[in-house]
Amino acid sequence: MEIYKLQQLLSEMSLQEKIGQMVQLTGAYFDKDAVLTGVVGEQLPPEWIIRYAGSVLGVIGKEKIYDIQSKYMEQHPHHIPLIFMADVIHGCRTIFPIPLGQACSFHPELVSEAASIAASEASSEGLKATFSPMIDVSRDPRWGRMMESFGEDPYMNGIMGKAMVDGYQQKSDQGVAACLKHFAGYGAVNAGREYNDVEISQRTFLEQYVKPFCMALKAKPAMVMTAFHAIDRKPISGNKKLLRELLRDKEGFDGTVISDWGSIGQLVEQGVAADMEEAAVQAAEAGVDIDMMSPAYMFWLEKLVENGKIPESFIDESAFRVLIMKNQLGLFENPFAGLGKSEKLTPYHRAKAYELTSESCVLLKNEKILPLCQKQRVIWAGPYVTSKEFLSRWSIFGEHEAVETIEDILQKKQIKAECIPGCRMLSDEECKIWQVEPERFDEPGNERWLETITGDDTVVCVLGEHESQSGEAASRAFLTLPEEQQLFFERIAKRTRNIVTVVITGRPLDLRRISEKSRAVIMAWRPGTMGAEAVVDIVYGRTNPSGKLAVSIPWCVGQVPVSYWDIKTGHIYDADHPENRFSSRYMDIPNTPLYPFGFGLSYTEFNISDIEVQAGPDKRVHVHCKVSNTGKVAGAEVVQCYYETLCSSVVRPRKELVRFQRVFLEPGEKKTVDFSIDREEFSYYDENMEIVCSQMKLRISIGNSSDHEWGNSVIFV
């Protein structure tokens, strides 16, 4: 529909109709089987809100959505279609690895393709918008939503966020509207506690936490979601300076701003609004276009306009943005766009899920034990050997029935191995804490089985968090394995040193004992539909692991939040002189993480050479190097380019990622890698909060992890 026709439509709509476009209701008001992802308020919406509501969340299914849409449009005065939204986070029916795992692939093109598949499956079942990607820089693994982010690095979040937006939106009638969230800084919640406040400097907020949004906005996402927290004590959903001045005026975002669940009403809880009426005023003035499930807009906007407390132009502005989004999705021409056009869990979709899962797994340790030989005696042990729970709490439309177990895959591939769950995933007490049903477990021969293990036996332990232990509202103070799994591992470790541990998790865990007692460790994250096959193929060498950590694995929880880009400090700790206690250090643990950002091993060896760095007359920095596979197995290396600002008026990070490239090489093969970096990408805010983008002294380094450089050069730009 042409813009002028949309404008004409808006002019013909009543005030209630326009306000309706600004209200999102849960599908519970339209369908009793809708998926709920938050608490429903006690008050029922006014009847006219249900009749005119512009969007619905949590409903999926071709027939169901066809029925709801048909009935809704028939009774709507202007026959405006609904838009159905949901949390399609890492796949719809075909579930890919969690975003944190996807980032470990360092393969944005594949991440984009996975998002495109998710969009096709979602659109086919009636969903036309997803609350994804989440590009909150996340350094604290106590925060359960780290699993939904792309890790600790701002640049990585920006690159992967842009790739995912492109994947969601690039198809015409089968695409869905993407939503960048949570704008901004939510990954820095104090103490890693969900819904908590955020206290960071303005400089850190803009340079590290807003940066990925600025990058991903170039992909023109349809929506941006506000966050629950406050920045500089001002909650985001009522923050005019952040939403209108920064997001819209400075960054040029012209799409739809949607609140997170109930966050406008939460302004009252945060004490910045006296009541829902005032909360509605603050959010409307800040430019929040859609109120997701709070009483503020639905009960107060009409009265506020009639009383002259907010101008109707605010309503027109927001309602028009929602209409434009629906128009861009083709809903005015076809309210059922994409419905039924894609199959789910197709062989192609599964193949891509397998590929991304394989590239997301990170080999953290390997003392010449992997890959295993199929002919040797191997025992696969742990609750995840016979479990299908490889998805996550955020794969809300995923189907466990479509997941094969590791035991299934071993049998299918005719690999002789003994499989034993050995213990429960969670104890009864842990089930109470995480609000899950206690697991039935009856294996009386467990102790006798353990006694049969000899020092020559190889045991692959597949252990990790329960699905409920990561995701929204899943903050943890302790990052150890569940207690029964820890005890089970220790018992095996007393019998044999030949242990390969595969970790299934939504966040970094405290892996000290696992790493110490295992000869090999694989971080498989929450791997999704094809997780079992990807893990088995890596263990037996059918696939060469190539993942690199998108987040540091802390030595222990006492280090967090920890990241490679921590700000420089004085009293620098020198590991060669541990007797000096008057330095920035812990006395009882190391400063450095157990495994750093960018780290990951392979079954082959790589070499990076011929590094050249030049500051060109085109105001760009040009980096050249060669990477070669010096081993006997084909594999992929990730060449990583970092920079350090050597002297500035303010303290800067020790190192920042500015480019990376994943390179696949046959044995003996050598390839050239070139990076071209605009000078403005090195810019920062000086002591007066003015941007510095010239006369900078930089150290440019090339490596294959944040703590392993193959070479560096100092340049002036």
Side-chain angles (χ1 to χ4, degrees):
M1 184 184 294
E2 294 86 349
I3 290 294
Y4 79 89
K5 289 185 179 180
L6 284 179
Q7 293 170 334
Q8 182 179 350
L9 172 62
L10 183 72
S11 69
E12 295 171 355
M13 292 167 64
S14 68
L15 178 59
Q16 286 190 345
E17 287 180 79
K18 290 185 287 189
I19 291 172
Q21 295 301 309
M22 299 172 64
V23 172
Q24 181 165 100
L25 294 177
T26 171
Y29 297 105
F30 301 87
D31 174 67
K32 61 182 177 61
D33 297 322
V35 176
L36 299 181
T37 57
V39 179
V40 178
E42 295 180 1
Q43 294 175 287
L44 285 174
E47 186 178 334
W48 66 268
I49 282 290
I50 298 175
R51 189 164 64 249
Y52 297 149
S55 56
V56 175
L57 76 158
V59 180
I60 191 172
K62 177 183 174 182
E63 291 79 13
K64 193 175 296 182
I65 286 182
Y66 185 91
D67 183 57
I68 294 173
Q69 184 78 286
S70 299
K71 291 177 180 177
Y72 175 86
M73 290 186 65
E74 183 179 351
Q75 58 82 36
H76 193 283
H78 289 92
H79 312 295
I80 297 173
L82 282 165
I83 179 171
F84 293 87
M85 307 186 187
D87 291 280
V88 178
I89 304 302
H90 53 110
C92 183
R93 299 299 191 183
T94 304
I95 305 302
F96 295 85
I98 58 173
L100 184 59
Q102 293 186 37
C104 294
S105 72
F106 280 69
H107 196 164
E109 296 82 7
L110 187 55
V111 169
S112 184
E113 191 164 359
S116 179
I117 289 171
S120 294
E121 290 188 346
S123 178
S124 185
E125 296 201 53
L127 297 176
K128 294 305 292 183
T130 173
F131 305 128
S132 172
M134 189 185 95
I135 53 175
D136 294 316
V137 173
S138 306
R139 306 167 62 216
D140 191 337
R142 292 174 297 180
W143 189 47
R145 295 195 78 164
M146 176 180 271
M147 62 149 283
E148 200 179 341
S149 83
F150 295 111
E152 73 183 54
D153 181 72
Y155 180 77
M156 173 66 78
N157 274 275
I159 289 293
M160 293 300 186
K162 183 178 182 299
M164 195 171 269
V165 170
D166 285 337
Y168 286 137
Q169 297 187 167
Q170 65 188 3
K171 293 193 174 182
S172 54
D173 62 342
Q174 294 185 59
V176 299
C179 177
L180 298 183
K181 65 181 189 184
H182 305 85
F183 192 74
Y186 193 35
V189 285
N190 291 346
R193 197 178 77 226
E194 189 72 276
Y195 314 123
N196 205 2
D197 192 23
V198 169
E199 285 287 337
I200 53 178
S201 72
Q202 183 185 12
R203 189 171 283 102
T204 298
F205 174 66
L206 293 173
E207 291 182 353
Q208 269 72 42
Y209 290 89
V210 172
K211 177 179 178 177
F213 286 91
C214 297
M215 295 173 64
L217 282 170
K218 295 176 181 177
K220 298 189 179 302
M223 293 189 292
V224 168
M225 181 183 288
T226 65
F228 289 114
H229 68 283
I231 285 293
D232 196 20
R233 309 292 176 89
K234 181 63 176 175
I236 306 296
S237 290
N239 197 321
K240 180 179 179 180
K241 182 177 180 180
L242 188 61
L243 298 180
R244 286 197 185 270
E245 295 179 18
L246 177 58
L247 179 62
R248 293 206 183 278
D249 296 343
K250 184 178 179 181
E251 297 303 326
F253 177 66
D254 60 1
T256 303
V257 173
I258 185 170
S259 77
D260 206 338
W261 184 293
S263 66
I264 294 178
Q266 184 183 285
L267 298 175
V268 177
E269 295 179 10
Q270 292 170 293
V272 298
D275 49 33
M276 286 296 168
E277 179 180 7
E278 191 174 328
V281 171
Q282 290 187 24
E285 289 180 343
V288 180
D289 302 311
I290 299 178
D291 180 358
M292 182 197 296
M293 282 306 299
S294 96
Y297 281 8
M298 67 176 73
F299 285 104
W300 289 102
L301 277 189
E302 185 179 19
K303 297 175 185 177
L304 288 167
V305 172
E306 291 173 348
N307 295 337
K309 292 186 177 180
I310 61 171
E312 191 167 352
S313 61
F314 282 5
I315 308 300
D316 291 344
E317 180 183 71
S318 291
F320 193 60
R321 290 196 187 106
V322 178
L323 295 178
I324 288 176
M325 177 169 60
K326 292 180 178 182
N327 190 49
Q328 290 173 338
L329 290 166
L331 293 175
F332 283 102
E333 282 74 19
N334 180 8
F336 311 103
L339 207 59
K341 289 196 173 182
S342 174
E343 296 181 20
K344 62 182 181 181
L345 289 158
T346 66
Y348 179 78
H349 293 180
R350 285 177 173 272
K352 284 300 172 180
Y354 170 84
E355 184 180 354
L356 185 50
T357 303
S358 300
E359 294 186 9
S360 297
C361 292
V362 184
L363 180 60
L364 297 176
K365 180 180 180 180
N366 187 18
E367 293 181 344
K368 298 181 179 179
I369 187 173
L370 291 179
L372 299 182
C373 175
Q374 292 189 33
K375 296 181 180 180
Q376 71 186 99
R377 180 174 186 248
V378 177
I379 302 163
W380 285 74
Y384 273 106
V385 170
T386 55
S387 175
K388 292 188 173 188
E389 294 187 5
F390 286 134
L391 310 183
S392 81
R393 288 183 70 201
W394 270 125
S395 55
I396 57 179
F397 304 118
E399 301 169 349
H400 284 96
E401 295 77 12
V403 180
E404 294 178 289
T405 68
I406 285 175
E407 185 175 38
D408 293 336
I409 296 299
L410 290 169
Q411 292 175 356
K412 182 186 293 187
K413 294 179 180 286
Q414 298 182 328
I415 299 173
K416 292 184 179 180
E418 186 175 355
C419 294
I420 177 82
C423 67
R424 296 181 296 178
M425 207 168 287
L426 295 176
S427 67
D428 289 341
E429 183 60 30
E430 288 168 332
C431 285
K432 291 179 183 178
I433 293 172
W434 296 103
Q435 302 172 4
V436 298
E437 289 294 321
E439 182 181 349
R440 292 189 62 185
F441 183 77
D442 182 21
E443 195 173 335
N446 185 40
E447 295 297 330
R448 291 193 298 273
W449 172 81
L450 281 167
E451 292 173 2
T452 67
I453 299 176
T454 70
D456 294 328
D457 287 329
T458 296
V459 180
V460 181
C461 292
V462 191
L463 311 169
E465 290 185 313
H466 187 274
E467 280 187 350
S468 67
Q469 289 185 287
S470 56
E472 185 174 356
S475 297
R476 295 182 62 185
F478 301 102
L479 300 178
T480 52
L481 286 171
E483 56 184 4
E484 290 193 13
Q485 295 186 54
Q486 291 184 71
L487 291 172
F488 181 64
F489 175 83
E490 294 292 347
R491 288 172 182 165
I492 293 174
K494 288 180 180 179
R495 308 293 303 182
T496 181
R497 179 77 176 85
N498 300 317
I499 299 175
V500 175
T501 302
V502 179
V503 183
I504 308 297
T505 180
R507 49 154 60 92
L509 296 176
D510 184 339
L511 298 178
R512 279 175 296 155
R513 290 290 291 174
I514 297 295
S515 183
E516 177 187 346
K517 298 289 185 178
S518 303
R519 287 184 60 190
V521 180
I522 298 170
M523 185 64 98
W525 307 107
R526 299 212 68 82
T529 302
M530 301 302 293
E533 185 170 5
V535 166
V536 168
D537 283 354
I538 285 175
V539 167
Y540 286 100
R542 297 187 179 193
T543 303
N544 188 354
S546 59
K548 302 281 187 175
L549 289 176
V551 63
S552 302
I553 306 293
W555 196 88
C556 73
V557 74
Q559 286 183 332
V560 301
V562 61
S563 74
Y564 81 92
W565 59 262
D566 282 344
I567 305 301
K568 296 176 186 176
T569 182
H571 287 251
I572 299 172
Y573 174 63
D574 184 354
D576 294 332
H577 297 283
E579 72 281 357
N580 178 20
R581 65 184 299 160
F582 298 101
S583 57
S584 180
R585 61 176 294 190
Y586 297 103
M587 292 299 293
D588 53 349
I589 64 172
N591 280 9
T592 53
L594 186 65
Y595 297 106
F597 174 89
F599 175 80
L601 301 174
S602 170
Y603 293 154
T604 191
E605 299 293 330
F606 299 97
N607 181 63
I608 298 176
S609 61
D610 301 331
I611 300 170
E612 298 176 4
V613 180
Q614 293 180 335
D618 56 355
K619 297 183 180 181
R620 300 182 70 86
V621 173
H622 300 276
V623 182
H624 167 94
C625 69
K626 292 182 179 179
V627 56
S628 55
N629 183 346
T630 59
K632 299 179 180 179
V633 181
E637 177 64 296
V638 178
V639 180
Q640 302 164 41
C641 181
Y642 297 87
Y643 78 96
E644 175 190 359
T645 308
L646 292 178
C647 187
S648 61
S649 61
V650 293
V651 181
R652 300 278 295 126
R654 292 180 299 179
K655 183 181 288 189
E656 297 179 80
L657 183 69
V658 70
R659 286 291 186 276
F660 62 83
Q661 185 173 327
R662 179 185 175 88
V663 184
F664 181 83
L665 298 160
E666 296 290 343
E669 187 178 10
K670 178 183 288 189
K671 290 183 180 178
T672 297
V673 173
D674 290 298
F675 298 125
S676 180
I677 311 159
D678 192 291
R679 186 175 65 182
E680 292 184 356
E681 295 185 56
F682 304 107
S683 63
Y684 61 92
Y685 288 88
D686 68 8
E687 57 188 332
N688 299 314
M689 288 304 294
E690 294 180 354
I691 295 178
V692 176
C693 59
S694 63
Q695 301 301 307
M696 295 176 287
K697 184 179 181 182
L698 308 172
R699 176 182 286 119
I700 308 293
S701 60
I702 293 290
N704 60 358
S705 82
S706 61
D707 76 338
H708 185 196
E709 295 180 1
W710 290 88
N712 65 76
S713 302
V714 175
I715 62 170
F716 291 88
V717 296

